[in-house]
Amino acid sequence: MARRDTPELPDFSLLKRLARDQLVYLLEQLPGKKDLFIESDLMSPLDRIANVSTLKQHDVVKLYKVEYKPTVSLSDQLCFLIRPRIQTVKWICDVVNADKAAGRFRRYKIIFTPQRFFACEAVLEEQGVFGDVTTDEWAFYLLPLDDDILSMELPEFFHDNFLAGDQRWLRTVGGALHLLHSVYGPFSKLYGIGSCSKMTYESWREQVEQGEKQVRPAEIGSVFLIDRDVDFVTPLCSQVVYEGLLDDIFRIKCGCVEFGPDVTSSDKSVKVMLNSQDKVFNEIRNEHFSNVFGFLSQKARNLQTAYDRRQGMDIKQMKTFVSEELKGLKQEHRLLSLHIGASESIMKKKTKQDFQELLQKEHCLLEGFEIRESISFIEEHISRQISMIESLRMLCLLSITENGLLPKDYRSLKTQYLQSYGFDHLLTFSNLRQLGLLMEQQGAETLTAMESKVGKLVNDKTAGKITDAFSSLAKRSHFRALSRKLNLVPKSDEEYDLRVPKDMAYIFSGAYVPLSCKLIEQVLERDGWVGLEEVTRLLNGHEFAVTGGSRAEASSDAQRLVLVMFLGGCTFSEISALRFLGRAKGYKFIVVTTAVTNSSRLLEALLGNRV
Amino acid sequence: MGRDRFRVQALRMAFVTASWNPLGEAFYRKLELYEMSWSIRDGLRDSLVAAAPYGGPIALLREPLRHSPSSRPQLEIYSASGIAITSFPWKSGPVVHLGWSVSDELLCVQEDGSVLIYDLFGSFKRHFSMGQEVVQSQVLEAKVFHSPYGTGIAIVTGSSRFTLATNIEDLKLRRLPEVPGLQGKPASWVVLTQDRQTKVLLSIGPELYILDNTSCTAVCPPGLSPHAGSIVHMSVSFSYKYLSLFTDSGHLWAGLSNLQEKLIEFDTKKTDRPKQMLWCRRPKSQQPSVVLMWERLLLVVGECNDTIHSTLTQNPIFPVVDVSFLVGELDGVRIINSTNQELLQEVPLVCQDIFKIASMAPGALLLEAHREYEKSSQKADEYLREIKEQNVLEKAVQQCVEAAAHEYDPATQKSLMRAASFGKCFLTDFCSDHFVSTCRELRVLNAVRESSVGMPLTHTQFKQMTLQVLIDRLLFRQFYPLAIEICRYLKIPDYQGVNRVLKHWASCKVQQKELSDDAIARAVCVKVGESPGVSYSHIAAKAYECGRTELAIKLLDFEPRSGEQVPLLLKMKRSHLALNKAVESGDTDLVYMVVTHLKNEMNRGDFFMTLRNQPVALSLYRQFCKLQEQETLKDLYNQDDNHQELANYYVTVSYREKRLESRLSQLQNAVDEYNKAKNDFAAKATEEEMRLLRFQRKLDDEKGAGLLGLSLQVTMETLLSLGLHKQAEQLYRDFKVPDKR
C-alpha cells in the first residue's frame, strides 16, 4: 500500500538567490554609504536571505531596527526596509519631517516588501514627504524555511484578512503563487476551499494572464489552497508531535528556536536552526512525543558505541576516525544533548500543568463526550488563572466542537473569564464571535426566518449580499457533522499504537485526524470535490477545482508533488500530518503558508486589547 | 571590343543620365515625382504655402491678405501628390505664416500672435499664444523650425522683438533680448540650433547678429567681402550646419553656420532678392550647394575645386516656367509648381559610378553582364569574368543594391536588383540580409510613393525618419490598411506594428460622430478583439475626450485590466462604477485609490453611504481609519447605526484615557451603545467594570493598594494578601463571584 518512492523536491534555494539578487540590486540603486533600517519582524527572514556581511559589501554602514523613535543615524542616506504598514510609513514621515525642520538634507529610500500599497503612498503624500523619498518594491514573497516549507512570514495576514476583512494581502499571496508558477513551471490542477482561496486563485490567474507567457517544464503537480477559517479546530488543539511541541513551548521563530538555560544546562541560551539539515531533529520532528525519548536514548546508545569504537583502534584507524567521523559525531552529540534537554524541559512543564488531563479533556471535546465535566474543567482553569491564552483556547475549542455554547454557559463562562483576566477581554470576545470561534448557540430557524424576512424587503442583488453576510454571521461550526462524515475521530475503543501510526490521527495521539489534512487527502483521492458536496456545504462552500491549463504533461514525478497553501497560517502538526500522508500515498507535499502558527499565535492575533 | 562596349553602354545609360547636370565633380539630377493631381486656378501665386519635409502634406492659404472683410481666404490641405485632403474658409484673423509640426499638424501663426493648430484633416486641435504683448505689436514674420526638441516657432514683432518657443508640445516662451538699432523686422533672419541652444541669426544692412537667450552679438562671416552690400536673404541647411547669405549686390556667401569657414563665394550678377534660397545637400555628399530661385530662374551654386571661384551650372538648365515653391529636404530640394513636382538632388555617388558614361565600376559591369545574360548573350560571361578577375564581385553586388535604393523609378530599381541577384549567384558566402531588406524597403517606399498615398520619400529620408515614424505618418493620414499591410510585410512584432495601427484606428473610430455608441463599440471590439498591446482604456480615454462618456464606459468593459479601467472611470466622474470595478478586481490598491478619491470628492454622508454598499471598501477604509483617523471611525459606525462596534470603539478609546473620569465617561458611552445594540451582557460587564474601577480608585486613595486596572479576581487576591478581607468580601458579594475562590 505505502509507496516508498517519494519524488524529489524542487530546489527552493533558488527563491533565496532570487530575493538576494534583487535586494542587492535595490541597494545598489542608492549608491554610496547608507544606513539601513529594518522592520523588526523582517530581521530574521532577512538574515536567512542576506547576512550582515553581504549588506556591508553593498555600502550599508549601520543597521538599525525600526523602533518608532527619532533616529540617531548620522548617515546622509537612509534606506528603510519595511512591510507596507501605515504605522511604519508614518514613522518614516516623522523622521523626514524632523530632518526638514532641522534643516538637514538626506536622501531617503523606502523598500517595501513584498509590495507597496497605495495606502502607504497616500500617507507619504498626506504628510508632504512624497517628493522627498523614493520608493521601491522588494518582491521577497517566500522564505524557504526548510526543504518542503515555504513561508511568507506574514503573520498579520490572519488578523487583517479574517478579522478586519481587509483583503489587500490577497494580491500578495496571489503574487507568491505567481512567483512559484513562473519559476517552477505550470500547475496541472488547482483545488481550493474558502473565499480567500478563491480570490487568491483569481488574483493569481489575472497575474498569469498579464505576465509574459513562457513554457517551462512543470516541476510541481497540483496545488491546494485552503483558508484557515475552514478548519479552526486543528490549530486550537494542543500539539503533541515533537516539532509542534517545540513551537508551542519554545516558539520557533523563522525556523529557528532559542533554547534557554534550562535546556542547555548551562547559563547560556543557544539558538538552533530546526530543519532537515539537523539529522537528529529530522528523525524525530514528526514523531509523537511519547516516542521521542525512546528514540533519543537509542540514538545516544548508538553514539556511544560509535565513540567506543575508538578503544580498539590503531593509530591509522584513529586518524581516519578523527578526520572523517569525529566531527559528525561531535555535531550529532551536541544536537542530541540539546534535544534531550529540550525533551526533559517539555516533560517538566507538561507534567506540572496536568498536561495529561488537559489532553484528555481536549479529546473529550473532540469526541463530544462528558461536556459538563469539560466545562467545569475550563471553569477551574479560568479561576486558577493558569494561562489567559490556554483558557481562551479551551473555550473556543468547546464552542466550535459543540456548535456554540448554550446561552447560560456562554454568559457565565464569559463573566468568569472577564473577572479573572480583566474586562478588556470584552473586545476579545467580540472578535472571537465575529470569527465564529466563540459563539452562543442559536436556533437555526430564527436565523433563516430573519433572512427570508430581510430578503423580501430588498432586491435580489443586495439579498445575495445579505445572505452572504448572514452565512458569515452564521459561521457556525458543524464540527460534529463533519467529524462523522469524514470520520475524523477514530473509535476510541481501539488501541492506537503510536509507534506504528496508521493514519494522520497519530499527530493528536490517535484522537483526531486534522480536518484540513483530511480534506486534502479526500480531494486528491477523488481528483476534485465530487462526492464531498455535503462536506463543502457544511464548510460554507467556495470550493473549486480547475485544471491549470498547462498543455505540457508534467512528468509523473512532478505530478505527485502537491503544493498546499494555507491562507492564514498552518501548524507544524499539520505539516507533520501531511508528511505522513505523503509517505503513505506516495505524494510529496510542499507547504506554503502565510506564516507558521499555533494556538497561541492564533488567539493572540485576536486579543481585543492590542492597540 | 572594349571600345565597342563603351559605345553600347553609353547609349543605354543615356536615358538614365539624360537629366544629369554636372557641377564641379558632382552631378545633379531632377526627378519627376508627381504630376500634381490638384487643379489650382491661379497657380501658387498670392498664396501662403507650407509643405512639410519628408514628403509631407502641403497647405495653401489663398489670398491671405483680405481684400475686403467679407471675403474669406480659403485654407486648403493637399497631400504631397496634390490630392485634396480638406479645404475650408479661414474664419480667424489674418495669418502671417503656415508651417507643419513633426507630427503632421498644421500651425497657423496669426498676426495677433495666436497660433492655431489643425490636424491633417483640417479639424481644429488647440491654440496658444506667443505672448500678450504681441496682440498690440503684431507679428511681422514667423518661422516654424524643427530641432531635436520638436517643432518650434519663432516670431518677430512690430516692436522688433523676437520670441521663441522651441517645442510647441511643451510650450515655454522665450523673449529674446532687444536688438540694438533694429527698426521693424530685420532684412533677413533664420533660426539656428547649435550646441543644444536655439538662436536667431539676423541681418541689418551688411551687419550680421546672433541673438541668443542673453545677448545680441555682432558677427562677421569670414571672407565676405566688405563691398558685398546688405544681406537680404539667408538660409540654413537641414542639419543647421551650413549657412548661406545673399546680398543686394548679388553676392552669395556660403559656409559653416558657426561662421568658422567659408565654402563658396559667388557673384550671381542678379541684384534682386531670390524668392527662395535653400541648401541642397545630401548627408555624406561630396559638396554642399545652394539652390536659389527667382521668378523665372533656378540656380544651383556649388563649390568647385578646380577653379578658385565657384562656378555656376549655367542657368538655363533649370528654367522655371511657372510659379514654384521649394521644399528643403534632407537630401535635396523638392520643387512644386501648379502642374508637377520634382526632386532636385545630387546624384548619389554609387549611382554615378554605375550610370556614368563609360564607367568601369564593378557595379556598372555587373549591370551590363546581367543585361547581356537576359539577352542570352555570351558577352555576359565576359563581363562577369572581368569582374571576377578583379575580385570585386561582392562589391559589384553591393553597389547595385545601394544604387537601387537610391533610384526612384521602379524599372531602374528592378534592373539593378536583378543584376545584384544575378551577381550573388556566383558568390559562395554572401550574406543576403542587406539585399533582402533593401528589396522590402523599396517595396514599401514604392507603395507610399504611389500618387494616391503621396509620400515621395527617398531611401535616405526613409532611413533617417525610421519605419516607426513612417507608420505614424501613415496613421496620421488614416491609411490604416496600408499601414497594417506594411507592418505585416516587414514582420514588425505585433506589439509595435499591427496593434499600434489598430489602436490608432480605434481611437479615430470613436470620433466618428455619425455612428451610434453601440455600433462603434461593436466595430472596435470585432477588429481589435483580444490583440495584446491594444489598450481599451486608451481608446476609451479618447472617446471620453470627444465627449462620448457612454461609449467610453462601453469600451472600458472590454478592458481586462482593472488597473486601467478605474482611473479613467474616476476621471469621468463615474465614481460608483469605478468603485464597483475596483472591488471586482480584488486589487485593494485600486479600491483604496477610489476610496481616497471619493473621500475628497463627496460630502461625508454620501461618502459613507457609498461605502456601506461596498463591504470590501468599507473594511479597507475602516482599517485605514483605525490607524489614521480614529474620529472618522466613530462617525462611520454612527452612520451605520452599528452600535456594537461603536461601543467596542468606546471601550478601546477608554483604555487610552489616562484620567479615570474620562475613562469612565467613555465607558458610559459604551454602556449606552451596548444597550442600543441590545447586548445587555456587554452592557452589564461594562457597568461592572466601571463599578470596579471606582471601587479600586477608592481603595487606592484610602489604602494605597495600587489596584487600579487589575481584574476583579486579581483585585480580590491582592486585597486578601493585604489582609483587607472585608473589602474582598464586599467585592465577592457585589459582583456575585462564583464560589470557587
Side-chain angles (χ1 to χ4, degrees), chain B residues 593-650:
Chain B
M593 191 167 109
V594 182
V595 168
T596 350
H597 183 88
L598 291 182
K599 193 174 132 196
N600 299 331
E601 219 40 6
M602 295 176 156
N603 67 42
R604 236 172 194 209
D606 291 348
F607 174 54
F608 287 160
M609 282 306 282
T610 314
L611 284 187
R612 249 170 96 169
N613 297 326
Q614 290 290 359
V616 177
L618 183 62
S619 53
L620 200 70
Y621 185 61
R622 243 186 236 156
Q623 190 74 347
F624 173 75
C625 287
K626 262 184 203 158
L627 291 162
Q628 284 286 68
E629 299 170 22
Q630 294 275 351
E631 283 298 304
T632 320
L633 196 62
K634 194 172 84 182
D635 297 346
L636 203 59
Y637 291 139
N638 236 330
Q639 175 92 15
D640 272 2
D641 293 331
N642 193 339
H643 299 295
Q644 174 72 31
E645 281 296 328
L646 198 55
N648 285 350
Y649 166 76
Y650 282 125

Side-chain angles (χ1 to χ4, degrees), chain A residues 85-87 90 115-120 122-123 126-127 159-160 164-171 199 202-203 206 209-210 376 379-380 382-385 410-412 414-427 429-431 433-434 461-462 465 608-611, chain B residues 560-562 580 583-590 592-594 596 599 613-616 619-620 622-624 626-630 644-645 647-649 651-652 654-656 667 674 679-689 710-714 717 735-738 740-741:
Chain A
R85 292 179 190 132
I86 290 176
Q87 207 189 0
K90 258 167 99 175
Q115 60 180 170
R116 66 167 85 99
F117 286 138
F118 183 76
C120 296
V123 171
E126 227 167 70
Q127 304 278 328
H159 174 271
D160 287 357
D166 178 351
Q167 297 167 347
R168 60 199 173 143
W169 293 112
L170 284 178
R171 224 178 140 68
M199 286 164 82
E202 273 156 13
S203 161
E206 206 172 280
E209 274 164 18
Q210 280 174 23
S376 53
E379 278 174 346
E380 198 185 322
I382 292 173
S383 63
R384 280 169 58 195
Q385 288 188 313
Y410 183 63
R411 299 189 66 132
S412 91
K414 262 177 28 175
T415 313
Q416 290 177 46
Y417 192 90
L418 290 182
Q419 287 180 346
S420 179
Y421 294 115
F423 160 76
D424 42 354
H425 287 289
L426 194 62
L427 300 179
F429 284 126
S430 153
N431 287 345
R433 208 178 99 94
Q434 200 183 328
K461 206 179 161 194
T462 17
K465 261 180 213 148
N609 51 359
R610 20 171 278 167
V611 185
Chain B
R561 291 163 303 168
S562 358
N580 282 342
V583 170
E584 268 171 39
S585 78
D587 183 344
T588 44
D589 274 7
L590 277 182
Y592 191 78
M593 191 167 109
V594 182
T596 350
K599 193 174 132 196
N613 297 326
Q614 290 290 359
V616 177
S619 53
L620 200 70
R622 243 186 236 156
Q623 190 74 347
F624 173 75
K626 262 184 203 158
L627 291 162
Q628 284 286 68
E629 299 170 22
Q630 294 275 351
Q644 174 72 31
E645 281 296 328
N648 285 350
Y649 166 76
V651 174
T652 319
S654 80
Y655 282 101
R656 246 177 278 126
L667 285 176
Y674 278 130
N679 187 343
D680 42 343
F681 170 78
K684 196 165 144 263
T686 316
E687 273 167 8
E688 281 181 4
E689 170 71 6
L710 296 179
S711 79
L712 177 60
Q713 189 163 339
V714 181
E717 275 168 27
F735 290 97
K736 302 196 193 78
V737 179
K740 289 243 170 74
R741 288 298 308 170

Side-chain angles (χ1 to χ4, degrees), chain B residues 274-287:
Chain B
K275 256 181 69 190
Q276 273 185 293
M277 175 167 77
L278 285 172
W279 281 87
C280 176
R281 186 189 174 276
R282 65 167 52 251
K284 288 185 234 141
S285 77
Q286 293 156 297
Q287 57 166 13

Side-chain angles (χ1 to χ4, degrees), chain A residues 38-47 81-83 111 113 138 140:
Chain A
I38 305 168
E39 189 127 42
S40 52
D41 55 349
L42 273 173
M43 286 287 219
S44 357
L46 179 68
D47 200 40
L81 184 62
I82 59 165
R83 291 275 184 220
I111 302 175
T113 182
W138 179 32
F140 168 49

